[in-house]
Amino acid sequence: MLEFAEVQLHNRKTLFVEVILPLAISRNYTYRVPFEMNNGAVVGKRVVVQFGKSKLYTAIIESISEHAPEKYEAKYIIEILDDAPVVTSRQLQFWHWLAEYYMCNEGEVMNAALPSALKLASETKVMLNREYEYDKTQLNDKEYLITEALDIQPELTVSDIVKLLGQKTVMPILKSLFEKNIITISEEVSERYKPRKKTYITLNPVYQNPDNRRELFEILEKRAPKQADALLTYLKLSRQQKAVAKNELIEESGAGESSIKSLIEKEVFFAEHKTVSRLGYEEDDESISNFTLSGAQQLALDEARLHFEKKDVVLLHGVTASGKTQIYIKLIEEMVATGRQVLYLLPEIALTTHIIERLRIYFGGTIGVYHSRFNDNERVEVWQKVLRSEYKVVLGARSSIFLPFHDLGLLIVDEEHETSYKQYDPAPRYNARDAAIYLANMHGGKVLLGSATPSFETYYNARTHKYGLVTLTERYGGVQLPLVEVVSISKELKQKTMQSHFTSVLMADMQLALENKEQVILFQNRRGYAPVLMCRVCAYTPKCINCDVSLTYHKHTTKLHCHYCGYKEDTPSVCPACGSTHLEYKGFGTEKVEDELSVLMPDVRLARMDLDTTRSRNSLQTILNNLEEKKIDILIGTQMVAKGLDFADVTVIGIINADSLLKYPDYRANERSFQMLAQVSGRAGRRGKQGKVVIQTYDPGHRVIKQVIENDYADLYFTEMEERKSFKYPPFFRIISIDIKHKNPEILYNQAEYFTNELRKHFGDRVIGPEAPLVNRIRNYYIKTIMLKFERDGVSVVKAKALMRDVITQFQTTKLSKGSVVQPDVDPY
DNA sequence: AGCACGCCGACT
DNA sequence: GTCGGCGTGCTC
């Protein structure tokens, strides 16, 4: 009786939910729950709400209250989409932290976190009003065009109509057609995730009886031989496997769809529709563990375990090819045995079938994979499997920190120094490595950071005992580190021994490798053919119409490309400024290296790996397979080749031009160059042979190059740290940079000056700038950057950020800020 | 993000 | 004049 009363009472309550909308807006909004949905309203579920005039969005319930908002009338929730929350409350807490830490909105975090199939938005659909007769002669041209199109195609979206009319503003026209009763407008959301269904066939148990079966078969053989075939095939298949799928049966038996259908109608077969996974590797895969660690690895593993007793984060600093992955596997196994979940983060590019298959051997169906090449439906399936704890281990890229883990015991961040862990555009500008540490902490889990060339931030934390430090100096299987030879380009130019961009040393080493049936990787950190096209007479250089950069010539398309906004234009044959035909290509990218090498070595099989050749879905995998199967002799690529490639027969690595790395105007240039060169070099001579690395440079005496030759990370670290300290850079200081953008450079100048001054009032000389970045206009927006440096100790960054938020909002309420975009970037790269 | 409203230039 | 682009403000 009491229970009943309670339910009644509960039903009578008016509930209000605060929801997160998947939009870049600064607040959450409150909606009212209809009585009948009271019991369904749970934090973490998705709801459909109307936001604005007409649009419907999927929002996430962040909190529930009984207090009606005072200042406005809340709209009703339209629908609750889930039976159980799809986002855990711990995730909501994580989202909240991310939004605070990285100074963005929760909606932006939600956008990054949820697979898009889970956050459907409505689309406006336009249809003819069938109930109503109208006079076509009464319509103007545009209205007529729309009705004509609707005669052919019953449904049009707003963007269809924009294209149809070739103009941006179409709403007024649609509105008038609606008011004339000629069209109807609907706003609908539909669940975009569709489980994959498969039809399975089972035999009516009646025919398990041999006599019945024989009788049936005899009838079928006479009247419907195709059906008899199908029956025989079914019997054969069902002996071989657990379940027989309908399409499999059709394929095997050669019987048509109709034969199967009539057998189902005759109730010989039963059809059953089942939801199947798109992800493959079902749970019957068995996991095995049968490798032994080397002495050094075992020692490192023991040390890591010991550190974990006292510390939450441990850095595994192991040289390239030292077998860090095996140590990870041991730690993962131990954690899985305790029943907790594990997340293993890798840079996107390193998530190849190679590593995935390797991990699947050990963890079978309990390991999930999550990366950007997955489609929406696949992502939702991974999400659900993590949510239901079916996956114990997830191997994933940056965004997998957003999966709905329940009990994360261990988080591994491999190649911890990788800049690709930081997302820049769009917000949230988060660093998955740092966010991972917070996430693990929320779960009471441990973090293992792994790298051959740790970021200084991490190494500093390890040296100051904030993190545990484990060092592995030995390569696995006793393979030697590669021999590094530095070759002076200027010297070879003088001697006239260069052949296009290749020194005689590199040419000789490549030739030798090819003779031995070995492979070569060439590294050139620039894509395209030539980054600058210049007129020899008047020095004119084609520039992007939207950005402040010169256009890169791409031979493949024979066009000039902008690498910032994607703009393309035809390559001029005469100088547009002076009419001269003497146009010269300056500088060179991967395309040109490939081109020239194909002339010098016509019989060699070349391939190129950069953004341009790996854009489509499987192209990266194809290149890697070809390399593995030795269908490629020389691979030319950008930084992509430095990451995660592990091929036994690559013995020579050529750095075509190290100077482009070393000359980069950034306080991290040396750290980056070392990482880059050490990582590329690490690709040489794994398993058995000593590799060789040839570094071509104009500056062979450069300090960093010496440190690379000696593989002296410590020396690099200590020399660089002196500078970091005196110039107030990380890891001694935290940096928050703020980009301010405007279409007009003069207005931007004034805005930036004013805004910087406002910041200075609060933060004094911690504020640096405003300065124009290297590329000061992108997509027609001029940019100024303001930098804030905060000392690591004694300053509350949380308070500083709150204050900065205030200053930004204050600025945005002044008239002066009109038309500007302000983008904070916390811990920028 | 999307949509309405209001201002302003260009086009018949 | 009017149409359409573009900037601005608001959405529970």
Side-chain angles (χ1 to χ4, degrees), chain A residues 65 75 130 133 141 161 167 290 294 301 317 331 379 497 532 593 639 805 811:
Chain A
S65 94
K75 278 186 189 166
R130 299 268 164 222
E133 293 287 319
D141 287 358
I161 293 162
Q167 72 182 53
N290 59 355
S294 71
L301 177 65
H317 180 200
L331 284 169
R379 283 180 211 211
T497 48
V532 180
V593 174
Q639 26 188 314
R805 252 184 213 272
F811 170 65

Side-chain angles (χ1 to χ4, degrees), chain A residues 420-436:
Chain A
S420 60
Y421 280 125
K422 171 87 186 197
Q423 169 158 311
Y424 180 69
D425 213 28
R429 297 180 177 77
Y430 68 102
N431 184 320
R433 181 240 295 153
D434 300 338

Side-chain angles (χ1 to χ4, degrees), chain A residues 352-596:
Chain A
T352 56
T353 47
H354 198 77
I355 181 93
I356 295 168
E357 273 162 20
R358 205 158 138 200
L359 268 288
R360 279 226 166 95
I361 292 172
Y362 300 107
F363 303 105
T366 60
I367 188 166
V369 178
Y370 198 70
H371 56 68
S372 70
R373 274 160 286 148
F374 270 13
N375 68 34
D376 255 2
N377 281 323
E378 290 166 333
R379 283 180 211 211
V380 174
E381 288 187 13
V382 176
W383 184 281
Q384 287 167 342
K385 286 198 173 208
V386 175
L387 190 63
R388 294 193 296 252
S389 294
E390 282 171 38
Y391 281 148
K392 293 297 173 210
V393 185
V394 173
L395 180 62
R398 184 170 72 200
S399 62
S400 49
I401 59 166
F402 292 116
L403 287 168
F405 299 99
H406 281 289
D407 185 15
L408 208 44
L410 175 67
L411 219 156
I412 294 166
V413 186
D414 198 16
E415 309 294 350
E416 145 307 303
H417 62 280
E418 269 292 322
T419 52
S420 60
Y421 280 125
K422 171 87 186 197
Q423 169 158 311
Y424 180 69
D425 213 28
R429 297 180 177 77
Y430 68 102
N431 184 320
R433 181 240 295 153
D434 300 338
I437 293 171
Y438 184 84
L439 179 67
N441 188 36
M442 284 177 58
H443 283 264
K446 303 289 180 187
V447 179
L448 183 69
L449 304 174
S451 177
T453 51
S455 67
F456 285 2
E457 284 84 346
T458 297
Y459 200 62
Y460 177 79
N461 282 331
R463 292 197 58 94
T464 54
H465 307 291
K466 193 178 164 195
Y467 299 166
L469 175 62
V470 178
T471 314
L472 199 54
T473 50
E474 199 178 284
R475 281 188 142 194
Y476 184 73
V479 179
Q480 282 178 286
L481 278 166
L483 187 73
V484 181
E485 183 172 357
V486 178
V487 187
S488 162
I489 299 175
S490 30
K491 198 170 142 201
E492 288 226 2
L493 278 173
K494 241 180 261 166
Q495 295 170 346
K496 301 205 186 305
T497 48
M498 289 284 284
Q499 292 184 63
S500 96
H501 297 295
F502 312 99
T503 58
S504 61
V505 177
L506 181 55
M507 282 302 273
D509 280 326
M510 286 199 287
Q511 232 109 38
L512 189 66
L514 296 174
E515 278 163 28
N516 293 335
K517 305 259 179 269
E518 293 161 358
Q519 292 164 299
V520 175
I521 290 177
L522 297 181
F523 170 74
Q524 168 61 14
N525 205 19
R526 193 157 229 165
R527 66 192 171 94
Y529 189 86
V532 180
L533 183 66
M534 193 194 262
C535 171
R536 293 227 283 221
V537 177
C538 71
Y540 170 86
T541 296
K543 289 211 153 194
C544 176
I545 54 163
N546 306 314
C547 312
D548 175 43
V549 285
S550 58
L551 293 168
T552 298
Y553 174 67
H554 280 241
K555 196 172 185 182
H556 173 67
T557 57
T558 70
K559 282 178 192 283
L560 299 172
H561 294 214
C562 172
H563 287 179
Y564 283 81
C565 72
Y567 167 78
K568 287 175 195 149
E569 67 177 39
D570 289 334
T571 309
S573 49
V574 294
C575 172
C578 72
S580 147
T581 53
H582 298 281
L583 294 169
E584 187 185 15
Y585 295 110
K586 301 197 85 177
F588 60 99
T590 46
E591 227 184 3
K592 192 168 183 212
V593 174
E594 183 188 24
D595 207 47
E596 300 196 340

